[in-house]
Amino acid sequence: MEEENFRDSIGTITKEGKRAWIFPKKPSGRFYQYRKYVSYGLLLFLLASPFIKINGNQFLLFNVLERRFNIFGFPFWPQDFHLVVVSMIIGVIFIALFTVAYGRIFCGWMCPQTIFMEMVFRRIEFWIDGDRGAQIRLDKAPWNGKKIGKRVLKWTVFFIISFLIANVFLAYLIGSDKLIRYIIDGPMAHLGTMVPLLIFTAVFYFVFAWFREQVCIIACPYGRLQGVLLDDKSIVVAYDHKRGEGESGRKKFRKNEDRDALGHGDCIDCFQCVNVCPTGIDIRNGTQLECVNCTACIDECDHIMDSINKPRGLIRYASEDEITKKAKFRFTPRMKGYTAVLTVLIGLLIGMLFLRNELEANILRLPGQLYERKADNIISNVYTYKLMNKTSKDIEDVTFKLHSHKGTIKMVSHDSFMVPAQELAEGTLFIEINNSALTGDKDKLEIGVYSGGKLIETTITQFLAPRSYN
Ligand code: SF4
Ligand code: SF4
């Protein structure tokens, strides 16, 4: 029971309930090197995406306030919300499937929190404060000139980077063109934006300078889901307890001692895997909620295994079944189920994307208005139209034609008009139909929207007529 105590509290809280500050050792090794390369690519993608344009559209834009979204250069509108919902469901199922099979690979390799924390802020910390030992000594040291100098330097650099991240974040929200214009105009000209920018900066600073690994341990909902997603077949960063403990358990390394004969495992209890862990856990206790699968302990233990001439991989990517039953990776029924649902949803999304109209047309009767009787048995209804151009090109010479009935469409202003790129065109029109051509008091009309005489969209609306005439 004693060794299970680590499950009662998280690694970053002391017995007294205070914050246990983690001073992880600087990682090194092949996985850390690969992670560095991945992080460079992702950082470039994250920082450049709001500034890249495709056909004049920002590559990624999430303008919630003006309800304009660009994904990979394709503009999406609130009318395309169903596509966003399907994409989000696909995202969730994909992550669930991926997690069931490969654990928290996303957390260790791709999550922006890990990338910024471990590959940007932590590396600056190593550069200014030194490695684990130097950081612990500095933390305990009195506030002398050296400590104040290092702290001021570190916090200033952290603040500047947080401010830069906040600017990029803002470029995703309001668009990079607007952001650049605001920067040129100066902060005083746009105080309404400067204040949220400083709030974002403060949040990023708080997260990366103080809150740190607790985002993954306490706040992240994905982290919370691990308990239900992982099983004995999921591949995670795992300690091979069979090999590490042997018959007689782990033991400190002693020169010229025959560990095999004494039944001791390969773990020499050096604590390097614990010291390097950015979430402060001991992976030898098994899979834990705090583990973000960052692979730092794999690299560290591999160094140790090299130094004592044992094979690498005492800590490695493996499933619990692989370690205990020597079972190989298997595609479980749960994974098959997730894959089937995922395939159907991706097919649905692709279909919806192809069927997505470039122009969204809505023609609705003016609220509160009844029909009007005119001479020669003509009934007239008044409508408002709204045409949303979702493309990055103007749609010229737009006209309407009645498809379902014989009748006329009378525009209040011009007969033909233009819908500017990514804009909304709206106006009023009358539809007049001879009552003899109507089949009831609420006929459905099909109206064609034409550009330069070419049909580009059809829409349905309702036409009211007097009941007694039918
Ligand atoms: S680094 Fe490897 S050998 Fe050292 S304590 Fe961790 S598991 Fe054992
Ligand atoms: S246990 Fe290993 S993989 Fe998990 S967070 Fe700690 S160092 Fe990273």
Side-chain angles (χ1 to χ4, degrees):
M1 238 13 226
E2 188 59 29
E3 59 268 23
E4 291 287 307
N5 280 353
F6 69 93
R7 299 205 187 275
D8 298 342
S9 79
I10 54 177
T12 52
I13 293 183
T14 62
K15 276 190 191 132
E16 296 77 40
K18 292 198 178 126
R19 170 85 181 270
W21 195 266
I22 310 277
F23 297 98
K25 186 173 182 257
K26 190 175 177 184
S28 65
R30 63 191 169 124
F31 280 111
Y32 188 59
Q33 206 54 38
Y34 296 148
R35 277 175 63 220
K36 269 193 205 164
Y37 297 143
V38 173
S39 74
Y40 296 148
L42 289 176
L43 280 170
L44 191 70
F45 177 80
L46 208 75
L47 301 179
S49 288
F51 300 95
I52 295 173
K53 297 256 174 90
I54 291 181
N55 292 331
N57 297 324
Q58 188 168 314
F59 188 64
L60 285 178
L61 172 77
F62 304 97
N63 191 337
V64 184
L65 293 179
E66 290 173 14
R67 293 184 294 165
R68 296 172 70 158
F69 305 89
N70 290 353
I71 297 171
F72 302 133
F74 292 104
F76 287 83
W77 298 90
Q79 288 87 343
D80 298 318
F81 190 69
H82 56 290
L83 293 176
V84 179
V85 172
V86 175
S87 319
M88 282 167 92
I89 297 173
I90 288 177
V92 170
I93 295 180
F94 178 76
I95 289 177
L97 172 69
F98 204 75
T99 312
V100 169
Y102 301 109
R104 292 177 81 169
I105 281 190
F106 172 81
C107 299
W109 292 76
M110 294 174 80
C111 174
Q113 163 70 21
T114 311
I115 301 262
F116 278 115
M117 186 65 243
E118 302 304 326
M119 295 297 168
V120 179
F121 288 86
R122 190 87 74 190
R123 287 174 72 189
I124 291 168
E125 197 162 65
F126 287 133
W127 171 60
I128 296 173
D129 290 349
D131 208 343
R132 173 180 156 83
Q135 287 186 21
I136 295 173
R137 281 193 298 279
L138 189 69
D139 186 58
K140 287 189 181 143
W143 281 93
N144 53 23
K146 186 184 163 203
K147 180 165 174 172
I148 293 172
K150 279 186 181 266
R151 287 288 186 261
V152 170
L153 175 64
K154 185 170 84 173
W155 292 337
T156 308
V157 177
F158 278 10
F159 182 83
I160 292 169
I161 295 177
S162 302
F163 184 69
L164 291 177
I165 300 174
N167 272 275
V168 175
F169 187 61
L170 201 63
Y172 277 103
L173 288 183
I174 64 170
S176 53
D177 289 345
K178 222 186 221 177
L179 176 77
I180 292 168
R181 207 171 59 237
Y182 285 8
I183 292 172
I184 294 168
D185 292 351
M188 296 320 282
H190 300 282
L191 268 184
T193 310
M194 191 63 193
V195 173
L197 182 69
L198 289 176
I199 294 173
F200 291 150
T201 306
V203 170
F204 288 127
Y205 183 84
F206 168 77
V207 166
F208 295 116
W210 191 80
F211 202 57
R212 302 190 151 197
E213 69 287 338
Q214 299 191 98
V215 170
C216 315
I217 299 174
I218 303 169
C220 174
Y222 178 57
R224 305 287 87 202
L225 275 176
Q226 300 308 308
V228 285
L229 291 176
L230 298 181
D231 61 17
D232 287 349
K233 292 165 193 71
S234 309
I235 294 185
V236 290
V237 172
Y239 166 68
D240 187 339
H241 51 92
K242 292 268 181 201
R243 185 184 142 193
E245 304 297 311
E247 299 279 301
S248 322
R250 62 185 83 140
K251 187 173 184 264
K252 294 267 181 228
F253 183 74
R254 277 215 198 105
K255 260 190 176 172
N256 305 325
E257 186 179 62
D258 189 350
R259 294 176 69 91
D260 293 339
L262 291 168
H264 293 297
D266 284 352
C267 175
I268 60 167
D269 212 13
C270 63
F271 273 89
Q272 292 310 305
C273 53
V274 182
N275 292 343
V276 82
C277 178
T279 62
I281 57 166
D282 186 343
I283 190 66
R284 296 172 301 168
N285 288 328
T287 303
Q288 292 150 74
L289 213 63
E290 294 96 323
C291 176
V292 290
N293 278 218
C294 73
T295 68
C297 54
I298 299 186
D299 279 335
E300 208 55 34
C301 191
D302 280 351
H303 292 319
I304 301 296
M305 292 299 112
D306 288 349
S307 68
I308 60 166
N309 283 325
K310 293 275 181 192
R312 289 179 167 194
L314 178 55
I315 302 176
R316 63 179 186 272
Y317 276 121
S319 68
E320 181 58 24
D321 277 1
E322 217 174 307
I323 290 171
T324 47
K325 302 179 193 158
K326 305 271 175 241
K328 283 283 153 220
F329 177 76
R330 208 167 56 82
F331 207 53
T332 60
R334 180 154 72 132
M335 284 154 67
K336 284 179 191 159
Y338 280 133
T339 310
V341 176
L342 193 63
T343 313
V344 170
L345 282 174
I346 289 175
L348 188 74
L349 182 68
I350 292 172
M352 284 164 122
L353 280 173
F354 274 108
L355 293 175
R356 191 175 89 116
N357 298 324
E358 296 194 329
L359 181 101
E360 182 95 23
N362 279 304
I363 301 179
L364 297 171
R365 275 193 328 101
L366 205 63
Q369 291 286 322
L370 251 183
Y371 57 84
E372 192 188 335
R373 287 182 205 193
K374 297 188 126 183
D376 301 327
N377 208 17
I378 296 286
I379 308 295
S380 169
N381 277 217
V382 59
Y383 297 83
T384 53
Y385 66 84
K386 282 186 182 173
L387 301 186
M388 166 66 75
N389 180 355
K390 297 178 188 172
T391 69
S392 51
K393 289 193 188 108
D394 297 343
I395 301 180
E396 309 271 358
D397 188 23
V398 176
T399 50
F400 296 112
K401 228 182 248 174
L402 205 49
H403 282 178
S404 54
H405 293 67
K406 232 177 163 189
T408 46
I409 295 180
K410 288 188 174 165
M411 306 294 288
V412 169
S413 51
H414 314 286
D415 281 349
S416 81
F417 56 95
M418 188 255 281
V419 191
Q422 300 196 29
E423 296 277 341
L424 184 75
E426 43 191 335
T428 311
L429 56 85
F430 289 92
I431 299 179
E432 294 181 353
I433 301 176
N434 192 302
N435 200 34
S436 60
L438 295 167
T439 53
D441 59 344
K442 269 186 198 161
D443 272 26
K444 265 200 179 136
L445 305 186
E446 189 192 287
I447 298 165
V449 184
Y450 290 77
S451 166
K454 190 174 156 236
L455 181 68
I456 51 169
E457 173 65 328
T458 52
T459 183
I460 302 287
T461 191
Q462 216 174 41
F463 190 87
L464 292 191
R467 196 180 287 260
S468 55
Y469 279 76
N470 304 312

